[in-house]
């Protein structure tokens, strides 16, 4: 028996696990210190009441013979796919139900989708980048090329002058909080159509774009239905990090080498996946009701308020940053540090704030740092107070 040697090319542990271990070690030595968590983008607000009610009702259904549900349809229940299709219709995107696949989260689908692509494909990922895109391809042994993000391009790399088969884009971006406009995305669609490439478009943070005129779906760009897959999540928009539900859109028009990618994914899913539970899909359906939409919007407003306070504090301290407007993430230049892991420890030990070192998102992240607005307003206020105190001493 041989193991997959590609794993030896990975960092010893996944970014957020490494951070958890460092934090746990610190907390063990300092059990009385109250840490302020602005690291991994995990939500802090509870589920919206409409979602909780839907879970209760679904549990009742499961307890009665007449309404009990066993294995569900492999792509997800039509009631949820219809709700997702209606959401896209509001964005001006028409989808058939066969183009929508309900998932147990964006991260899972982003990794699982690789099953339908050859291992010879050249993968392009932005740098800095959400580490799961890189790690999942390293596990499969695909060659990876980087699209450099920097202050000069506002961390929004455009199409490269080399050929790439699979290209990951995330907008609003994790980790930088930057978001592509229509013209920039159109350039990516043109590139993908010209190169016969595929865009893997991660729209997990699209809900934060409400109120802007920036595209919330790659399918708002003409031609994208022939070169893109969109992966979305209810984790951040509706607090589903612990519930697990998302959706992936694979247009029927998307073909490569004469093969429908939609058909390949359906084949893959019906073999390796038994769907998302009925309870979770009912919970997700509630997110798209007028009541659920209003309630989740209120929750997002809390995170937006936190991001505003964080942005004001950084501005006041003269710390350069990006994001934080249509995004829950703020990407800052480490004040007084070139090494972002050293700044991580400095912040943890002296301000009791947990953030994420930019280097954890790739070499171009070195010297930068990510703070997340997913917290309570009280904890955010306290963290900013502690940050202010720390940096007025630098
Ligand atoms: C992050 O903090 O980058 C995200 O919360 C991680 C994730 O969504 O898996």
């Amino acid at each position: 028996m041989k193991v997959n040697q590609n794993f030896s090319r990975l960092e010893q542990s996944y970014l957020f696990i490494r951070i958890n271990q460092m934090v746990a070690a610190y907390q063990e030595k300092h059990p009385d210190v109250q840490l302020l968590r602005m690291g991994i983008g995990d939500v802090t607000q509870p589920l919206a009441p409409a979602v909780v009610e839907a879970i209760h009702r679904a549990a009742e259904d499961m307890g009665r013979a007449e309404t009990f549900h066993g294995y569900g349809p492999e792509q997800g229940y039509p009631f949820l796919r219809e709700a997702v299709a209606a959401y896209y219709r509001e964005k001006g995107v028409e989808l058939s139900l066969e183009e929508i696949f309900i998932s147990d989260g964006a991260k899972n689908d982003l990794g699982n989708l690789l099953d339908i692509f050859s291992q010879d494909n050249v993968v392009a990922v932005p740098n800095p980048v959400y580490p799961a895109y890189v790690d999942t391809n390293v596990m499969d042994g695909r060659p990876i090329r980087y699209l450099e993000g920097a202050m000069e391009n506002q961390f929004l790399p455009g199409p490269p002058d080399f050929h790439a088969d699979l290209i990951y884009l995330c907008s609003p971006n994790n980790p930088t909080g930057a978001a592509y406009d229509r013209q920039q995305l159109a350039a990516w669609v043109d590139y993908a159509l010209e190169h016969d490439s595929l865009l893997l478009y991660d729209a997990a943070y699209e809900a934060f774009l409400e109120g802007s005129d920036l595209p919330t779906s790659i399918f708002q760009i003409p031609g994208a239905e022939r070169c893109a897959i969109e992966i979305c999540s209810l984790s951040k928009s509706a607090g589903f990090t612990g519930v697990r539900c998302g959706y992936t859109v694979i247009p029927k028009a998307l073909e490569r080498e004469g093969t429908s990618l939609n058909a390949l994914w359906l084949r893959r899913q019906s073999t390796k996946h038994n769907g998302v539970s009925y309870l979770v899909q009912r919970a997700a359906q509630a997110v798209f009701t007028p009541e659920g939409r209003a309630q989740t919007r209120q929750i997002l407003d809390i995170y937006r308020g936190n991001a505003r306070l964080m942005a004001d504090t950084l501005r006041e301290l003269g710390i350069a940053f990006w994001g934080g407007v249509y995004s829950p993430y703020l990407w800052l230049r480490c004040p007084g540090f070139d090494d972002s892991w050293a700044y991580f420890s400095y912040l943890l030990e002296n301000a009791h704030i947990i953030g994420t070192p930019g280097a954890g998102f790739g070499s171009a992240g070195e010297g930068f740092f990510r703070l997340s607005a997913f917290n309570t307003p009280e904890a955010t206020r306290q963290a900013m107070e502690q940050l202010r105190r720390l940096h007025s001493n630098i």
Side-chain angles (χ1 to χ4, degrees):
M1 181 274 177
K2 293 184 179 150
V3 297
N4 180 349
Q5 288 299 339
N6 293 321
F7 277 64
S8 63
R9 294 173 51 222
L10 294 168
E11 294 283 336
Q12 202 181 350
S13 47
Y14 186 61
L15 171 64
F16 295 106
I17 305 296
R18 176 174 173 192
I19 291 176
N20 285 348
Q21 288 163 348
M22 290 170 78
V23 170
Y26 177 83
Q27 193 82 85
E28 203 178 300
K29 280 203 210 126
H30 307 274
D32 300 330
V33 171
Q34 188 74 31
L35 293 175
L36 297 157
R37 294 174 193 276
M38 309 185 104
I40 190 165
D42 196 2
V43 292
T44 54
Q45 299 300 314
L47 294 171
V51 172
V52 176
E53 268 167 47
I55 296 175
H56 281 299
R57 278 198 307 272
E60 294 295 334
D61 286 350
M62 293 300 278
R64 278 194 304 268
E66 331 60 269
T67 48
F68 170 76
H69 287 74
Y71 291 127
E74 49 286 343
Q75 278 191 237
Y77 285 101
F79 62 74
L80 179 52
R81 286 184 290 144
E82 273 155 21
V84 173
Y87 184 59
Y88 272 81
R89 202 165 302 125
E90 285 176 29
K91 300 171 186 266
V93 176
E94 277 304 324
L95 297 176
S96 71
L97 294 199
E98 294 73 46
E99 294 178 304
I100 301 167
F101 295 80
I102 303 306
S103 74
D104 53 353
K107 184 180 181 188
N108 308 22
D109 266 19
L110 279 160
N112 293 336
L113 271 166
L114 295 178
D115 273 5
I116 66 170
F117 308 127
S118 157
Q119 291 177 357
D120 306 336
N121 284 309
V122 173
V123 176
V125 293
N127 181 15
V129 71
Y130 175 46
Y133 307 157
V134 175
D135 287 4
T136 48
N137 279 291
V138 169
M139 288 173 188
D140 281 1
R142 272 186 207 85
I144 300 178
R145 305 271 319 251
Y146 289 93
L147 308 163
E148 296 304 319
M151 294 190 271
E152 292 69 35
N153 60 11
Q154 302 292 310
F155 299 99
L156 291 170
D161 53 11
F162 57 83
H163 172 83
D165 299 301
L166 294 172
I167 299 151
Y168 287 81
L169 298 178
C170 174
S171 182
N173 187 265
N174 179 13
T176 68
Y180 283 110
D181 66 21
R182 231 162 256 275
Q183 214 183 338
Q184 290 165 322
L185 284 185
W188 272 114
V189 167
D190 288 348
Y191 172 94
L193 290 173
E194 194 184 316
H195 285 253
D196 219 20
S197 330
L198 179 71
L199 304 177
L200 290 166
Y201 192 77
D202 181 350
Y205 300 92
E206 58 84 33
F208 284 86
L209 292 169
E210 194 169 28
S212 79
D213 57 6
L214 298 166
T216 57
S217 164
I218 188 72
F219 299 119
Q220 290 168 326
I221 310 299
E225 68 287 353
R226 287 178 287 121
C227 64
I229 290 179
E230 182 157 294
I231 300 98
C232 206
S233 161
L234 295 179
S235 283
K236 313 298 159 90
S237 58
F240 271 47
T241 48
V243 180
R244 311 302 311 151
C245 195
Y247 44 90
T248 293
V249 176
I250 309 189
K252 288 282 206 180
L254 184 57
E255 287 191 359
R256 287 297 178 270
E257 298 185 302
T259 305
S260 154
L261 296 192
N262 180 295
L264 283 191
W265 182 238
L266 179 60
R267 184 69 184 80
R268 188 270 178 207
Q269 287 297 79
S270 34
T271 306
K272 291 198 182 179
H273 182 65
N274 259 340
V276 176
S277 79
Y278 172 73
L279 277 86
V280 166
Q281 292 194 57
R282 280 292 184 202
Q285 180 193 20
V287 172
F288 295 99
T289 59
E291 211 188 357
R293 292 277 288 278
Q295 292 168 357
T296 50
R297 199 170 282 133
Q298 276 175 14
I299 296 173
L300 288 184
D301 280 344
I302 295 178
Y303 302 133
R304 287 196 185 98
N306 293 345
R308 262 196 307 277
L309 175 66
M310 292 159 73
D312 288 346
T313 310
L314 294 174
R315 232 175 262 121
E316 190 189 307
L317 292 169
I319 299 173
F321 70 95
W322 293 260
V325 184
Y326 295 117
S327 158
Y329 297 127
L330 289 93
W331 180 249
L332 47 124
R333 193 100 186 89
C334 298
F337 285 81
D338 291 329
D339 178 333
S340 56
W341 281 103
Y343 184 62
F344 168 83
S345 300
Y346 177 74
L347 208 56
L348 178 65
E349 286 158 22
N350 298 289
H352 305 148
I353 296 172
I354 305 167
T356 312
F361 298 102
S363 57
E366 188 51 292
F368 294 89
F369 201 76
R370 194 192 76 175
L371 288 178
S372 144
F374 290 114
N375 215 321
T376 60
E378 298 71 37
T380 307
R381 261 195 299 277
Q382 195 179 339
M384 291 305 101
E385 198 39 58
Q386 288 172 199
L387 193 74
R388 208 178 270 122
R389 224 175 290 141
L390 181 72
H391 286 301
S392 34
N393 292 337
I394 269 192

